[in-house]
Amino acid sequence: MKDDLVVVVPGIMGTALTRKGTDVWNLTPQAMSGLLRPGRTGELLALPEGIGNDDPEPPHALELGGVIHGPRLLPGLVSSTEYPDLRTPLGIEEERFAEFRYDWRLSNRNSADKLRLFVEERLARWRETADPRRFPRAGEAKVVFLCRSMGGLVVRYYIEVLGGWEQTRSVATLGTPFSGSVKALRFLTGRVRWVPSPFRERIHEVCSTYPSLGQLIPTYRVVVDRQEGRSRLKGQPVDGVGTGMIDDSFAFFQEVQDAIEENDAVHGPRRYVLVALGGDKHRTDQALSLSPAGVPRFHEDFSDSGDPEDRRLPLFGDGTVAHIAQIPPEWADTGQTVWLDSRHADLINSAHALKQLRRVCDGLAPAGVLSTGEPVGVEFPDFARAGEPFEVWATNADAAMALRVRRLAEGGASVADEPMLPCGDGRFRAELRAGPGRWTLEVHSKPLRYTCRDVVLVV
């Protein structure tokens, strides 16, 4: 309802992590070069081995800056375009709006416990200080959560395992990996696309110490085999990832699912409203197969499964999280998810997503599927070398769409606009070059009023 407290919970790279005022995860071309300096990476960015659900001690501890509203990316894993202050498009008064800042490197259990303390303090303050003439029901207010990506996992753990459902009115998630992400596993094994050596090795060295990323290892039946069909990853060795990290991911998701079943049985399934928004048009890692030595090979479909039913599973996703993983496991009907055309990086900027989020904040029922229904999928690189060519692809397109690719500077100004050329079978391609910087790429169609964006780091 309109008297509730609205809390935004960002995901990976969504909160600035600082030391002595420097945002140490603001990856610019200069910062990427700094990653290669001996000793600097481990001191500034890595976490100690075996940290589990604890907070780090100095020198590993970092300070919290603000929630990031500009473009960011962690090459090979996740990116985010610039997004607006949500208060204005959603019509939320400043005094009932809050952003939860947290160290996204740490265990999601740790972050959920900090969210519990944050909600206790902010909700109590709102109930006590809200103007009764403007907000007559603030005394019985609850929380409306707006969650980006991994932020939805933090909120789910808080709500279900830590009992936060009693303070929760509704939850809206954007691209949340409810059962993990194959792309995260690719990242953790050091087998990311686009990113060349030695950047790939250094990023892997640092980020493989982050418990939160380990808790993104997929828990659905993700391993495909031509004889056996599909199976779960648990109990199967994976080259480059410790079994303890895999076990922790399964334990984390199982804790949430067990709590959901118990809470539903005791208190009923309609304790709060859950609205999931996701992207489903773009080529996305869906599955993997394993060699006898545990070396993973990643797949964008389930065609390598021996079970014919698996080959009929929905393909694609938002470029980061597969379609199947953006659906809460307890939902029997996949149609409950609101599917959008945007990629993971830009879901929050979708006009359709903002309309849905406003309904959630106003206490209205979900409006159903708001996607324009355009079938176009887009594939962007997230890393390129300065002056060298890189490609942008579109699929399921046609010439009448007149697709073009813009390269936008961080202020939003267009510095290049190239046509995409047909390659047959509904595929279109453009080749671009750029100087060093963090650029936003935008595929757009003037006849359809269609846009799709993501971020590339050029070094």
Side-chain angles (χ1 to χ4, degrees):
M1 63 185 183
K2 295 187 178 182
D3 293 41
D4 286 327
L5 179 69
V6 177
V7 176
V8 174
V9 182
I12 298 168
M13 301 287 282
T15 302
L17 303 180
T18 69
R19 175 178 279 120
K20 297 181 180 178
T22 299
D23 185 349
V24 298
W25 265 115
N26 183 14
L27 293 186
T28 61
Q30 296 77 19
M32 289 294 287
S33 298
L35 282 174
L36 303 182
R37 297 172 190 165
R40 178 177 175 83
T41 298
E43 178 185 353
L44 287 180
L45 301 179
L47 289 173
E49 185 178 352
I51 188 172
N53 301 313
D54 296 333
D55 288 319
E57 299 287 341
H60 304 287
L62 296 174
E63 298 170 350
L64 298 180
V67 170
I68 297 167
H69 292 277
R72 282 295 173 97
L73 76 164
L74 183 53
L77 180 61
V78 69
S79 57
S80 175
T81 61
E82 189 167 2
Y83 71 96
D85 179 351
L86 290 175
R87 288 180 297 126
T88 300
L90 300 184
I92 303 168
E93 298 81 3
E94 183 176 2
E95 57 265 45
R96 72 180 186 100
F97 180 83
E99 294 178 317
F100 174 62
R101 303 172 303 140
Y102 67 101
D103 188 337
W104 45 265
R105 304 174 302 164
L106 306 182
S107 166
N108 288 314
R109 298 183 185 93
N110 180 305
S111 299
D113 193 53
K114 289 183 171 66
L115 177 62
R116 176 183 61 81
L117 298 174
F118 178 87
V119 169
E120 286 178 0
E121 189 274 328
R122 292 301 297 263
L123 187 57
R125 187 201 313 174
W126 170 244
R127 288 170 173 171
E128 293 169 2
T129 62
D131 184 344
R133 293 169 297 180
R134 298 176 61 202
F135 307 102
R137 300 179 64 185
E140 54 194 77
K142 292 189 175 184
V143 179
V144 174
F145 288 106
L146 308 180
C147 314
R148 298 193 71 185
S149 192
M150 190 181 74
L153 301 183
V154 174
V155 169
R156 290 259 282 184
Y157 195 90
Y158 158 70
I159 289 175
E160 300 293 354
V161 180
L162 303 184
W165 64 268
E166 295 185 88
Q167 311 299 332
T168 301
R169 183 81 62 193
S170 54
V171 179
T173 64
L174 295 114
T176 288
F178 288 104
S179 50
S181 167
V182 176
K183 190 174 184 180
L185 187 65
R186 180 193 282 274
F187 183 83
L188 289 167
T189 59
R191 293 169 172 84
V192 299
R193 303 172 66 191
W194 318 117
V195 185
S197 298
F199 297 110
R200 179 175 64 246
E201 287 79 6
R202 190 52 62 97
I203 291 175
H204 172 256
E205 173 191 335
V206 171
C207 294
S208 61
T209 67
Y210 294 178
S212 63
L213 302 193
Q215 289 163 353
L216 297 179
I217 290 174
T219 58
Y220 63 93
R221 292 190 296 129
V222 70
V223 182
V224 293
D225 183 271
R226 291 189 180 276
Q227 281 74 44
E228 302 298 329
R230 277 195 305 145
S231 62
R232 300 188 190 277
L233 197 60
K234 188 175 182 180
Q236 304 192 55
V238 179
D239 182 57
V241 177
T243 56
M245 182 173 279
I246 296 174
D247 290 345
D248 183 59
S249 182
F250 274 83
F252 174 81
F253 284 103
Q254 194 62 54
E255 280 182 76
V256 174
Q257 290 309 121
D258 289 347
I260 289 173
E261 291 180 13
E262 182 178 346
N263 291 332
D264 285 355
V266 176
H267 306 286
R270 300 184 183 276
R271 292 167 285 118
Y272 59 93
V273 175
L274 174 61
V275 178
L277 297 92
D280 70 337
K281 301 291 193 300
H282 310 282
R283 291 162 61 94
T284 306
D285 286 333
Q286 306 271 341
L288 69 142
S289 54
L290 295 169
S291 75
V295 176
R297 177 169 169 257
F298 297 93
H299 305 273
E300 293 177 349
D301 57 35
F302 298 96
S303 60
D304 271 21
S305 170
D307 186 345
E309 290 297 318
D310 291 340
R311 298 168 200 162
R312 300 189 183 99
L313 289 169
L315 302 182
F316 308 118
D318 65 11
T320 298
V321 185
H323 180 286
I324 194 172
Q326 295 179 76
I327 302 164
E330 68 272 18
W331 285 5
D333 180 7
T334 61
Q336 289 179 261
T337 300
V338 179
W339 297 110
L340 307 171
D341 297 333
S342 303
R343 288 173 61 83
H344 190 86
D346 204 42
L347 282 170
I348 193 67
N349 281 312
S350 165
H352 301 294
L354 291 173
K355 289 178 183 178
Q356 184 70 80
L357 294 180
R358 181 154 191 166
R359 293 182 66 86
V360 172
C361 293
D362 289 348
L364 301 176
V369 178
L370 294 171
S371 170
T372 61
E374 295 301 338
V376 181
V378 180
E379 186 173 10
F380 298 98
D382 57 17
F383 192 97
R385 292 282 195 176
E388 297 183 4
F390 61 88
E391 297 176 331
V392 175
W393 288 86
T395 57
N396 296 321
D398 61 60
M401 296 176 179
L403 292 174
R404 301 180 67 88
V405 181
R406 289 192 186 108
R407 179 162 54 88
L408 308 175
E410 290 206 25
S414 176
V415 295
D417 194 338
E418 303 288 340
M420 300 194 75
L421 303 178
C423 300
D425 198 26
R427 291 172 62 81
F428 285 72
R429 171 186 173 276
E431 184 176 281
L432 293 85
R433 287 177 171 82
R438 188 167 49 203
W439 305 96
T440 296
L441 302 178
E442 179 183 87
V443 169
H444 64 101
S445 165
K446 187 174 181 180
L448 295 179
R449 295 184 177 181
Y450 168 86
T451 61
C452 183
R453 297 190 296 174
D454 214 315
V455 182
V456 62
L457 182 67
V458 181
V459 175

